[in-house]
Amino acid sequence: MSKGKLQKFAEMETFRNVFQYPYGVISEVPFDMKGHWCEQYFKNDNPIVLELGCGKGEYTVGLARVYPNINFIGVDIKGARIYTGAKQALEENLENVAFLRTSIEIIDRFFAQDEVQEIWLTFSDPQMKNFHKRLSSTFFLNRYRNFLIDKGIIHLKTDSNFLFTYTTYLVEKNKLPLLFRTEDLYGNETNGVKSADFDERTKEILGIHTYYENQWIERGLNIKYMKFELPRLGDLCEPEIEIELDDYRSFKRTKRSGKDTAK
């Protein structure tokens, strides 16, 4: 590990807005704040929204600025990434922001039933070879049900046509209520509404760009977005359909080419 990363990890140990529980730790030490985030950390009764795979936390921090009466928690296993957003939130005195360093596979160990209102999945790895690792798969949706309110909202923002198409088919197959969907979020028109006519709050949200998002925009790729409700009850099934893989190389990800089934 580089000296710079070691320094960041050491400094992050002093951050009051960061909670570090990698898999090896949580398996031995219980997380006492489960079910008590608002009471013990945020000191309010405001809704909680998660950003899973938050990276550097640009969206977590950006949303917290726009919505001061909502609590935001960014989750990622990469501590060096979380450091950036956590430090920025502290410097800006954003009291409605926290970061959790852990594996998303065990995310339901940190939140109690009905403790979370919404989830953002921002530029997640599409995991084209293993559907169990896709953050919008039934594997993860069933975990989210353990702490998300009934009919809580899932937001998906991605550059990946594969992940977007897969999630679209999954939503359709399971008849999940689709609230909004666009294949070109920053195009001139979205769902019949011109971007120039969006209200100011929507424009603020659309103005929040992650590090990776800026890379995709510079490449000329469309940014895709959808949001849907996740009812607590009902069996969830994976879509059985062939989806064309993304044909470009993503940052530090395997080459995307050819075709594969959704599963």
Side-chain angles (χ1 to χ4, degrees), residues 3-95:
K3 184 177 180 180
K5 282 189 176 181
L6 289 174
Q7 290 176 338
K8 286 182 178 180
F9 278 122
E11 185 178 357
M12 201 161 59
E13 288 288 346
T14 69
F15 289 179
R16 67 178 185 275
N17 62 351
V18 175
F19 302 87
Q20 301 193 67
Y21 284 85
Y23 190 85
V25 174
I26 193 63
S27 62
E28 299 176 1
V29 180
F31 187 69
D32 294 333
M33 206 156 60
K34 178 178 180 178
H36 304 285
W37 279 90
C38 285
E39 174 189 352
Q40 296 183 12
Y41 176 75
F42 292 112
K43 310 297 183 182
N44 60 46
D45 295 323
N46 296 335
I48 292 177
V49 175
L50 304 185
E51 183 191 6
L52 302 183
C54 69
K56 296 183 179 182
E58 299 102 324
Y59 231 78
T60 298
V61 173
L63 288 170
R65 294 192 194 107
V66 177
Y67 295 105
N69 294 322
I70 297 178
N71 301 320
F72 293 91
I73 303 174
V75 183
D76 205 296
I77 191 59
K78 301 290 187 180
R81 295 178 183 173
I82 285 178
Y83 170 89
T84 302
K87 187 175 181 65
Q88 186 173 12
L90 290 175
E91 290 175 347
E92 295 184 23
N93 294 315
L94 294 174
E95 299 296 332

Side-chain angles (χ1 to χ4, degrees), residues 47 63 109 117 119 139 157 188 214 232 248 259 262:
L63 288 170
R109 299 189 186 185
Q117 277 66 40
I119 293 173
F139 177 83
K157 194 177 185 186
N188 292 329
N214 285 327
R232 178 167 297 149
Y248 59 92
K259 290 188 176 182

